[in-house]
Amino acid sequence: MTIGDFVFLSNYYMTKKERYERVIDWFDKNMPVVDTELHYDSPFHLLIAVILSAQCTDKRVNMVTPALFEAFPTPEVLAVSSPDDVYEYIKSISYPNNKAKNLVGMAKKVMADFNGQIPDTLEELESIPGVGRKTANVMLIVAFNKPAMPVDTHVFRVSNRIGLTDNSKKPAQTERELIKYIPSRYLSKAHHWLILHGRYVCLARKPKCEECGLTPFCKYFTNKQ
């Protein structure tokens, strides 16, 4: 038996618990410090950036937010503005009309119901216009350092490919499986690990397996051999 055969068989018969342990260990050693690539200076501005990032790259969002943050430094200022005012700053972002309306609606809700402070619970965050479960979970882990697992397209794809999830069909199923197997102390890191891995290595159309350190634990890589 060759070394390649041994690696193949070890990967093929690996239990889910073993796969999680080895993936987490690899990331922890190779990417010990990770964070969002969105630029922000307060929970309020982070929420703006995360809302804008839906179906848009972080790079593009970071290009428009400096001027946007300067024009709307607080929820009070944004709440008394119009969507047309906001649109002028974000028109290069995907779906700018809807996002402009959501940003103003968000600020009004924050002022009316949360005394101008961004709330730090999932339920309260999800009550805000433009904030779905993924956005709320991002806020929990990035702004408030609480354990959560936001599932975007990268997390969804990479989890299925590696074999952390069992070909889950919906983000909610992926979230449940990842939370079940990843220790809570690693959850926020694991979210960033999977996003960055999907963004730069495990690409949607052509994953860079030749550059990937996870191949010994990856179902996708094993199955294509």
Side-chain angles (χ1 to χ4, degrees):
M1 178 183 292
T2 67
I3 293 177
D5 292 335
F6 179 77
V7 171
F8 175 88
L9 290 173
S10 297
N11 192 348
Y12 188 82
Y13 290 107
M14 189 180 299
T15 66
K16 178 173 283 192
K17 182 175 182 293
E18 289 171 335
R19 194 180 308 278
Y20 268 92
E21 289 174 349
R22 295 181 188 186
V23 168
I24 291 171
D25 182 64
W26 186 89
F27 274 126
D28 199 29
K29 289 177 179 175
N30 290 276
M31 300 174 66
V33 179
V34 285
D35 201 350
T36 180
E37 293 189 313
L38 292 171
H39 299 164
Y40 67 99
D41 55 14
S42 67
F44 168 62
H45 282 163
L46 175 63
L47 183 52
I48 290 177
V50 177
I51 290 173
L52 292 178
S53 72
Q55 296 180 286
C56 187
T57 66
D58 288 0
K59 182 178 179 180
R60 168 59 59 181
V61 172
N62 289 336
M63 291 172 65
V64 307
T65 49
L68 182 67
F69 293 165
E70 184 176 358
F72 306 102
T74 63
E76 292 92 331
V77 175
L78 183 56
V80 296
S81 304
S82 72
D84 288 340
D85 295 332
V86 177
Y87 175 86
E88 290 303 312
Y89 291 90
I90 67 169
K91 55 188 176 184
S92 65
I93 295 284
S94 60
Y95 308 106
N97 288 300
N98 284 339
K99 289 179 180 178
K101 293 176 184 177
N102 282 336
L103 290 179
V104 173
M106 174 270 286
K108 291 181 182 295
K109 176 78 172 181
V110 168
M111 290 304 301
D113 293 358
F114 304 114
N115 196 31
Q117 300 298 311
I118 304 301
D120 63 356
T121 69
L122 182 67
E123 294 73 21
E124 290 173 323
L125 285 163
E126 286 188 301
S127 73
I128 297 173
V131 178
R133 187 175 185 88
K134 185 199 78 174
T135 297
N137 277 331
V138 170
M139 292 300 298
L140 291 180
I141 67 171
V142 178
F144 304 113
N145 196 30
K146 293 187 174 184
M149 177 49 70
V151 177
D152 71 348
T153 56
H154 296 302
V155 173
F156 185 77
R157 179 181 71 254
V158 172
S159 298
N160 273 330
R161 272 190 181 162
I162 294 174
L164 299 179
T165 53
D166 298 318
N167 296 315
S168 59
K169 304 300 181 184
K170 296 182 179 181
Q173 181 183 351
T174 297
E175 181 183 341
R176 286 194 298 270
E177 282 200 71
L178 294 175
I179 288 176
K180 178 180 178 181
Y181 286 96
I182 298 175
S184 61
R185 69 183 184 278
Y186 284 115
L187 275 176
S188 61
K189 275 188 173 184
H191 164 72
H192 296 306
W193 286 336
L194 294 171
I195 279 186
L196 295 175
H197 196 67
R199 188 172 290 168
Y200 299 112
V201 180
C202 194
L203 308 181
R205 293 186 179 180
K206 191 177 181 181
K208 300 178 181 179
C209 295
E210 69 282 358
E211 300 177 16
C212 181
L214 295 176
T215 51
F217 331 120
C218 178
K219 275 191 172 181
Y220 173 86
F221 182 76
T222 299
N223 291 337
K224 78 173 190 174
Q225 299 306 299

